[in-house]
Amino acid sequence: MSKNMLKFVSLDKKMPEKREAALRREDFQEIYDEFSSQKAKEQASRCSQCGIPFCQVHCPVQNNIPDWLSLTANGRLEEAYEMSQATNNLPEICGRICPQDRLCEGSCVIEKSFDSVTIGAVEKYITDTAWEKGWVKPNAPRQELDQSVAVIGAGPGGLAAADELRKKGYQVHVYDRYDRVGGLLVYGIPSFKLEKDVVERRAKLLADGGVTFHMNFEVGKDASFAELREKHDAVIIAMGVYKARDITLPGSGLGGIVPALQYLTSSNRVGLGDTVAEFDSGELNAEGKNVVVIGGGDTAMDCVRTAIRQGAKSVKCLYRRDRKNMPGSLRETTNAEEEGVEFVWLSAPKAFLGDEKVNGVKAIEMHLGIADSTGRQVPVEIKGSEHNIPCDLAIKALGFDPEDVPALFDEPALEVSRWGTIQADPVTAMTNLEGVYAVGDIVRGASLVVWAIRDGRDAAASVDTYLATASQKSLAS
Ligand code: FAD
Ligand code: SF4
Ligand code: SF4
């Protein structure tokens, strides 16, 4: 047994200090402070070093959690960092934004009687320290290979794949239609969960290690998919899902009703110093407004908390099920409540009210009826319970679907599921097209950063096998 462990019996679980809600409302900075080195050691030492670590089993990248906790508890941070980065390409990002209560920490066995180990915060601490100390170095492959790989999309899935392939010496070209690297890490997730310089330094690290980024480059427009296949030896599609789900209600066409990602992207751009006309005109700015956000997922939580920071007069979140049944993380809901968001549980919109611009939402109360085939109770309207909620900005956060990829890429042979997600082999990540792989949200549907990383790593390993076999065949012939 490692020294200095099993302290869960004498030490309570502590998260890093959370800034006061009143202060958080005033800016877009992350809400948790960093652990002090003493606190990180203490919290890591609570781990009981399980023989079968369920935390690791339920971590999508299968991080070697007990070992890096033990190294941290014993002050061997550089080794902890080496171990942690061996399984995760973006550990400080996962440490910040993984829904740990549903993954590693939710599976920590000491949680049954004691609070779980604070795994995510320690992971963040290890890697932030590694950056500070200069232990994080760009890739320097032992050999340069001639073969090149195109990665479509610079989100976490694409970045993880690019990193792994570059380590092996492949020439990696990442194409993205945005102007900045990071996908939803930059333009979806707000900086109070993930500050943007954390993503920027990763992008620079990859570029310094030889990954070539082609930004403002939309595949299907600036080059065809066929051209990319022709130019590169393999292609990985990591393009995410961006088609916002919609609701059609009376008044849906009024001004002041906006999709969530448009609203969040504008806020993130403003935070990065860009000029956004729709923000300046007030269309995508919640300042002084009564805001209603429709939806109960993590995107809805990000919208309500952004609106609070923009200085909204009131912020309400309308969700048709109850707190227990909402898809968003409980931790984020609590953060939102602390910051002044009002949740209107068991409530659904019936109409948007107003002449040209929205000035209210007609809502109806719901109750949870019998469960459907998925086991989830179906929300049922309560007759006569309609009521109006004042609203000058309505934000629709109802989820995302994939775009029509075969049409977008002019590649009708590319197989997609009935939901439009790309069909990729669960083991190799290869699609039905030779040498074409797919990872992340475009395969899973809207999911999590850590799953995109896992997919990117798996696809990179498969591409390596595929290309190594191809080069052996060409040598033999
Ligand atoms: P993305 O991150 O979407 O990246 C895809 C990239 O592909 C984009 O940069 C896009 O510009 C590019 N692209 C698309 N089409 C083309 C094209 N034709 N040509 C070139 N480039 C193209 N997950 C968590 O784990 N924790 C969270 O707290 C969390 N919060 C979230 C908050 C919001 C508001 C949203 C929307 C999602 C959140 N998620 C969160 C989910 C997470 O962001 C995604 O699961 C993850 O980013 C998916 O990674 P990806 O690489 O598959 O795609
Ligand atoms: Fe937990 Fe996510 Fe880190 Fe895995 S990657 S240990 S799930 S925070
Ligand atoms: Fe440690 Fe909890 Fe993982 Fe067990 S499940 S190894 S106690 S972090």
Side-chain angles (χ1 to χ4, degrees), residues 95-346:
R96 283 169 166 84
I97 59 166
C98 271
Q100 285 106 12
D101 46 354
R102 302 205 304 257
L103 299 170
C104 52
E105 294 181 16
S107 310
C108 173
V109 291
I110 65 168
E111 199 192 27
K112 304 291 168 272
S113 331
F114 301 84
D115 279 338
S116 70
V117 177
T118 43
I119 300 167
V122 174
E123 188 177 23
K124 167 180 179 284
Y125 167 78
I126 294 169
T127 317
D128 281 348
T129 309
W131 277 99
E132 247 174 60
K133 303 264 187 201
W135 302 334
V136 185
K137 296 272 186 330
N139 285 320
R142 257 180 285 163
Q143 52 170 354
E144 287 294 340
L145 300 169
D146 291 337
Q147 290 149 306
S148 76
V149 182
V151 178
I152 305 173
L159 294 183
D163 190 17
E164 290 300 300
L165 286 164
R166 187 62 202 131
K167 274 180 201 162
K168 298 198 182 297
Y170 292 104
Q171 308 310 309
V172 182
H173 291 260
V174 180
Y175 299 86
D176 200 295
R177 61 182 172 181
Y178 283 156
D179 52 348
R180 292 184 174 91
V181 171
L184 289 173
L185 300 176
V186 169
Y187 287 132
I189 299 172
S191 24
F192 51 81
K193 280 165 58 182
L194 174 63
E195 284 173 11
K196 303 305 163 199
D197 54 354
V198 175
V199 186
E200 281 163 9
R201 68 185 179 187
R202 278 282 162 193
K204 180 170 181 314
L205 187 81
L206 285 177
D208 289 348
V211 171
T212 308
F213 287 102
H214 305 262
M215 303 311 289
N216 297 306
F217 192 112
E218 182 166 348
V219 178
K221 207 169 106 201
D222 297 306
S224 71
F225 181 64
E227 280 166 341
L228 241 61
R229 283 188 80 190
E230 185 63 34
K231 193 166 166 192
H232 298 284
D233 299 287
V235 177
I236 299 179
I237 306 173
M239 61 193 290
V241 290
Y242 284 86
K243 197 166 79 187
R245 286 192 195 135
D246 210 351
I247 30 165
T248 309
L249 296 171
S252 280
L254 292 171
I257 306 170
V258 299
L261 196 55
Q262 197 187 347
Y263 173 69
L264 292 172
T265 303
S266 141
S267 172
N268 277 318
R269 280 198 178 279
V270 170
L272 284 158
D274 295 353
T275 304
V276 180
E278 295 89 345
F279 181 84
D280 292 342
S281 69
E283 197 187 324
L284 294 176
N285 185 353
E287 188 177 359
K289 293 181 181 165
N290 292 308
V291 178
V292 173
V293 176
I294 301 163
D298 285 331
T299 302
M301 294 310 105
D302 289 347
C303 290
V304 288
R305 297 177 67 200
T306 297
I308 289 277
R309 283 160 175 80
Q310 288 180 345
K313 195 153 116 195
S314 72
V315 183
K316 291 191 170 60
C317 182
L318 219 63
Y319 182 55
R320 63 199 179 126
R321 291 190 165 90
D322 57 9
R323 186 190 186 98
K324 213 170 70 203
N325 287 288
M326 74 182 297
S329 148
L330 197 58
R331 195 169 68 185
E332 297 305 312
T333 312
T334 308
N335 286 335
E337 282 174 328
E338 289 169 0
E339 289 161 11
V341 174
E342 188 188 326
F343 285 86
V344 190
W345 303 115
L346 292 163

Side-chain angles (χ1 to χ4, degrees), residues 55-56 58-65 68 87-88 90-91 93-105 119-121 123-124 448 450 453:
C55 54
Q56 179 170 6
H58 290 271
C59 163
V61 289
Q62 243 104 88
N63 272 339
N64 193 342
I65 299 165
W68 49 248
T87 49
N88 191 350
L90 306 169
I93 293 180
C94 291
R96 283 169 166 84
I97 59 166
C98 271
Q100 285 106 12
D101 46 354
R102 302 205 304 257
L103 299 170
C104 52
E105 294 181 16
I119 300 167
E123 188 177 23
K124 167 180 179 284
L448 292 173
V450 66
I453 295 171

